[in-house]
Amino acid sequence: MADPRAGSAGPPEPVRAAGAVLWRDGPAGRPEVALVHRPRYDDWSFPKGKLDGGEHVLRAVVREVEEETGIVARLGRRLPPVSYLHRDRPKRVDYWAARCVEPSSAHAVPNDEVDRLDWLPAGEAAERLSYSHDVDLLREFTAGPLHTWPLVILRHGSAGEKSEWEEPDELRPLDARGRAEAVRLSALLRAYGPSRPVSSATARCLDTVLPYARATGTAVVTDAAFTIGDTGGDRALGRLLELADGGVPAIVCTHGEIVAELITGLCRRLGEKVPDEPALRKGSFWVAHLAGGEDGTPAIAALERHRA
């Protein structure tokens, strides 16, 4: 008789992978996308690969693109994930549009996995691709805006308990966990390319973006509009909309009390559906990928959330 305490095995966890529709400016302003040929499968696809154990998906997509093409990519808007069965096991591949930020001559193929890389206009790429789900992905890419810029809304890292801090609250620093989050955030945010860091004028927010600023050689600008105790939701949103309208990539580091109002207000003003849970945990961030609208005002081309 079977042991009633023994539960049945659940469905296998999906294999996680990440990839990109890597593009560059082609002749006459027409974009070209990169396809790779894998001799092991004799197929043509977009560069992609499995996440290493514990690896963040943003680190994985940049690493896999570089390993398969030799090109350092700058992530743009997030594209729909692709799911399918691979060797009877579910597999999910998260995709981004990604700009080639180095000359194509920098690619490193052939290598162990890829023996050829071709840059093709979208129409030719659709005919070359081996899988229908990749053709669907290419269609999603071409249907959206090509040029976007990121606006990151970041909640500072872990900073201990406010009730246990006896000095002025603006001096409360990150704790050990928060410092580790700040280092991880620096690597993740660099996947979107260089951005202007704008911070609340508190130690915990400045500490959160400091590793990013040092790694990218940018100066952190403090802004009272994002500083708890000096601002309110309307003022913070007004300043955020000014940054959004500037066309310059920016990272705004602020407080949990402000984040939900910022993302809700940004979505409503720019015509995007408000997320069901706009708030962020400490050390987490939203990325709004913005594009110029028909009337010159920005529009949200994609919205994604990540945790360090």
Side-chain angles (χ1 to χ4, degrees):
M1 183 176 178
D3 186 344
R5 297 172 297 177
S8 59
E13 288 292 320
V15 176
R16 293 290 309 279
V21 178
L22 180 66
W23 69 276
R24 69 179 185 183
D25 291 318
R30 295 174 58 202
E32 295 178 331
V33 298
L35 302 188
V36 296
H37 180 261
R38 301 180 300 175
R40 179 181 179 185
Y41 302 103
D42 190 22
D43 62 5
W44 286 93
S45 64
F46 297 114
K48 65 180 183 297
K50 291 189 294 185
L51 275 63
D52 291 337
E55 186 179 28
H56 196 286
V57 67
L58 293 177
R59 294 293 301 273
V61 63
V62 174
R63 175 184 56 77
E64 283 292 341
V65 168
E66 186 171 8
E67 287 180 358
E68 293 201 348
T69 69
I71 293 170
V72 178
R74 180 178 301 168
L75 299 187
R77 74 185 195 275
R78 194 169 192 171
L79 299 171
V82 173
S83 298
Y84 53 92
L85 285 177
H86 178 67
R87 296 178 179 173
D88 296 325
R89 185 175 177 186
K91 184 174 183 177
R92 173 190 165 115
V93 188
D94 289 288
Y95 279 100
W96 279 260
R99 182 78 181 269
C100 170
V101 295
E102 289 185 355
S104 59
S105 60
H107 71 74
V109 295
N111 56 45
D112 291 341
E113 296 184 19
V114 173
D115 64 354
R116 185 172 165 186
L117 181 152
D118 283 2
W119 291 96
L120 299 171
E124 294 180 31
E127 296 178 358
R128 180 82 63 87
L129 286 164
S130 300
Y131 306 106
S132 61
H133 56 251
D134 281 345
V135 176
D136 292 339
L137 184 70
L138 179 61
R139 188 177 297 114
E140 289 282 350
F141 168 76
T142 57
L146 195 61
H147 295 276
T148 63
W149 69 93
L151 177 61
V152 175
I153 301 171
L154 167 65
R155 184 179 177 185
H156 65 75
S158 177
E161 295 296 332
K162 182 178 181 179
S163 60
E164 298 176 1
W165 181 256
E166 298 180 354
E167 299 181 46
D169 187 56
E170 62 266 24
L171 299 180
R172 178 159 51 97
L174 297 179
D175 56 22
R177 176 181 172 184
R179 292 191 294 273
E181 290 170 339
V183 172
R184 291 195 298 271
L185 285 166
S186 173
L188 299 181
L189 294 172
R190 293 203 302 275
Y192 300 103
S195 296
R196 174 191 179 192
V198 181
S199 175
S200 156
T202 60
R204 54 194 180 276
C205 287
L206 286 164
D207 288 352
T208 299
V209 293
L210 180 59
Y212 174 86
R214 290 294 302 275
T216 58
T218 53
V220 182
V221 177
T222 60
D223 197 320
F226 302 118
T227 305
I228 196 72
D230 290 342
T231 192
D234 290 342
R235 181 184 178 189
L237 176 60
R239 180 68 181 116
L240 185 73
L241 291 170
E242 290 177 2
L243 292 172
D245 197 36
V248 177
I251 298 168
V252 173
C253 187
T254 188
H255 307 267
E257 296 90 335
I258 300 174
V259 163
E261 292 185 73
L262 287 180
I263 196 67
T264 298
L266 183 70
C267 288
R268 286 175 176 167
R269 294 289 286 273
L270 301 187
E272 177 73 11
K273 181 182 180 297
V274 177
D276 292 337
E277 298 181 7
L280 289 172
R281 294 183 178 183
K282 292 177 182 178
S284 301
F285 59 95
W286 285 102
V287 184
H289 296 277
L290 304 178
E294 294 182 359
D295 60 354
T297 61
I300 296 177
L303 188 67
E304 56 183 296
R305 173 167 50 189
H306 297 282
R307 186 176 184 182

